[in-house]
Amino acid sequence: MIATTRLLGPSDRFGRPLRNLRISVTDRCNLRCRYCMPEAEYQWLPRSSILSFEEIDRLAGIFSGLGVTKVRLTGGEPLLRHDLPTLVRLLSARDALSDLALTTNGVLLARQAEALRVAGLTRVTISLDTLRPERMREFARSSRHADVIAGIDAARAAGFPSVKLNTVVIRGFNDDEILELLDFAFGRDLEPRFIEYMDVGGATGWSMAQVVSQREIVETVARRYGAVKPVQQSQWAPAERFALPDGRTFGVIASTTAPFCRTCDRGRITADGTFLLCLYGEQGLDLRELVRGGATDAEIAERIAAVWQARDDRGAEARLGLAERGVLHRIESLRADPRREMHTRGG
Ligand code: SF4
């Protein structure tokens, strides 16, 4: 029996604890962003394989017993999952989970923000890559820009203590909007975060030339606002935060040029119940088989702890070390195993 305690939990080979869990509730999405789902057609996970809310809640309980305190619901687009507030209500009843967050593209948020807040969701992160509707039409094949803005405003109105705005910055697409997006976020009391374009599964058009680095992003902001200083924060946070001279802050997630794998305490569960140890990981533990096959909570916890203790994944750092860096997966390889897609593994 592997020794685990509620407070300690398992650590991996680099001493990283399991504290954060990203749970994908669907592989479907209503946008087709070029950095994630650029293809015309996708192979979806069979509906019968998607975990039910009760199965997700049971797994969340097992993970919290292993030390997980933070859960983030992702997709695909999680708000496409029918009645998501019911899942939020189940999870928020678990005292051991101190943080229950959602990452969404915002298209369907206006209608659901209040219900999600009432159900116990604590934080929302909304993706907004451009302030220009015509760019979104071209880049994400969607004319729902106004709905995203309405979703952002609904999240503020619902009273979430933290609403973050995530922008993937891509050279030649939206790198000329960094300052506008920053002002937009500050004007609505949101925390802006810029994310480097990553060469993950799904990003079949990725190239290093399109990556706008953290250094460039910070320099762009500093040219407008003056010297920008790093903010001290938890070593486990993925975003580096920076403060403007007036104290306002923004974050940069430098997964491509300055990865933070050595402090990565995140596991992820795909919508069909595969436990993955890394965004770039190939192998996973089939939790659905265990849950539906009659395994007890203790047996499942033991299997999870065992794979976490064997974990030595440092996917983004390994990518950084490559002499020639191209796309991670070509379309044929993604079609051979849809779990390689970022929209399936809850990027
Ligand atoms: S690449 Fe893998 S190990 Fe590195 S930060 Fe991302 S999920 Fe964690």
Side-chain angles (χ1 to χ4, degrees):
M1 180 92 180
I2 289 164
T4 56
T5 68
R6 181 151 203 22
L7 288 176
L8 209 52
S11 290
D12 71 8
R13 290 199 187 169
F14 297 115
R16 299 170 295 186
L18 175 55
R19 292 277 181 272
N20 262 288
L21 187 64
R22 299 175 69 100
I23 302 176
S24 172
V25 295
T26 178
D27 59 334
R28 315 264 165 155
C29 191
N30 44 3
L31 300 185
R32 289 293 178 272
C33 301
R34 250 188 248 170
Y35 54 78
C36 183
M37 298 183 74
E39 312 301 331
E41 287 181 19
Y42 283 91
Q43 186 185 328
W44 307 109
L45 298 172
R47 283 195 189 272
S48 60
S49 74
I50 305 293
L51 295 185
S52 68
F53 287 169
E54 290 69 26
E55 289 169 334
I56 292 172
D57 179 50
R58 180 181 171 204
L59 286 171
I62 295 169
F63 274 94
S64 73
L66 292 167
V68 165
T69 57
K70 297 181 173 188
V71 164
R72 177 171 292 275
L73 301 176
T74 69
E77 169 47 43
L79 295 182
L80 285 175
R81 182 82 185 249
H82 179 65
D83 198 18
L84 197 66
T86 293
L87 175 62
V88 170
R89 205 167 302 114
L90 287 173
L91 298 177
S92 69
R94 295 193 170 276
D95 292 340
L97 299 179
S98 58
D99 190 47
L100 184 54
L102 171 80
T103 295
T104 171
N105 62 32
V107 170
L108 301 173
L109 185 57
R111 268 183 283 155
Q112 301 194 50
E114 178 69 25
L116 289 163
R117 179 74 183 122
V118 169
L121 193 73
T122 50
R123 294 191 297 127
V124 184
T125 299
I126 304 163
S127 301
L128 181 69
D129 296 323
T130 178
L131 290 170
R132 304 180 193 174
E134 69 281 7
R135 277 194 174 173
M136 182 170 169
R137 259 196 298 278
E138 185 204 339
F139 192 78
R141 286 188 261 146
S142 171
S143 56
R144 307 286 299 271
H145 193 269
D147 292 330
V148 178
I149 304 299
I152 291 167
D153 291 340
R156 286 314 294 144
F160 288 102
S162 165
V163 181
K164 290 184 176 138
L165 203 67
N166 271 2
T167 300
V168 176
V169 184
I170 299 181
R171 198 179 311 285
F173 162 60
N174 63 350
D175 53 327
D176 57 344
E177 287 189 68
I178 290 173
L179 296 173
E180 285 169 62
L181 284 156
L182 199 67
D183 289 343
F184 173 87
F186 288 153
R188 282 172 158 79
D189 197 21
L190 312 164
E191 172 145 347
R193 303 198 312 174
F194 299 103
I195 303 173
E196 291 181 351
Y197 186 14
M198 291 181 74
D199 52 348
V200 286
T204 48
W206 183 91
S207 71
M208 196 66 205
Q210 294 168 277
V211 176
V212 180
S213 69
Q214 171 174 263
R215 185 181 51 77
E216 287 180 84
I217 293 167
V218 169
E219 282 172 3
T220 300
V221 177
R223 271 197 298 278
R224 158 79 71 87
Y225 287 101
V228 166
K229 291 200 182 108
V231 176
Q232 282 286 342
Q233 58 179 357
S234 153
Q235 62 164 320
W236 306 107
E240 272 193 65
R241 291 177 70 225
F242 299 89
L244 306 183
D246 64 11
R248 290 183 294 180
T249 59
F250 67 98
V252 182
I253 301 180
S255 318
T256 304
T257 68
F260 36 84
C261 301
R262 68 195 158 287
T263 59
C264 177
D265 61 356
R266 273 178 303 288
R268 51 192 80 230
I269 303 179
T270 62
D272 64 346
T274 304
F275 177 49
L276 294 167
L277 306 176
C278 175
L279 191 48
Y280 291 89
E282 272 290 304
Q283 305 301 326
L285 172 65
D286 188 345
L287 295 174
R288 186 184 78 245
E289 188 178 51
L290 291 170
V291 165
R292 295 185 183 173
T296 65
D297 286 9
E299 287 164 349
I300 297 172
E302 192 168 350
R303 295 287 301 278
I304 294 168
V307 297
W308 189 264
Q309 285 172 326
R311 176 188 191 235
D312 61 0
D313 298 69
R314 300 177 80 148
E317 287 181 359
R319 300 289 297 165
L320 189 64
L322 295 178
E324 289 198 20
R325 192 168 176 176
V327 295
L328 178 67
H329 291 296
R330 301 205 175 277
I331 185 61
E332 304 75 33
S333 136
L334 294 171
R335 291 207 169 118
D337 185 356
R339 285 189 201 84
R340 292 177 175 140
E341 295 273 10
M342 191 161 63
H343 67 265
T344 302
R345 51 182 57 196

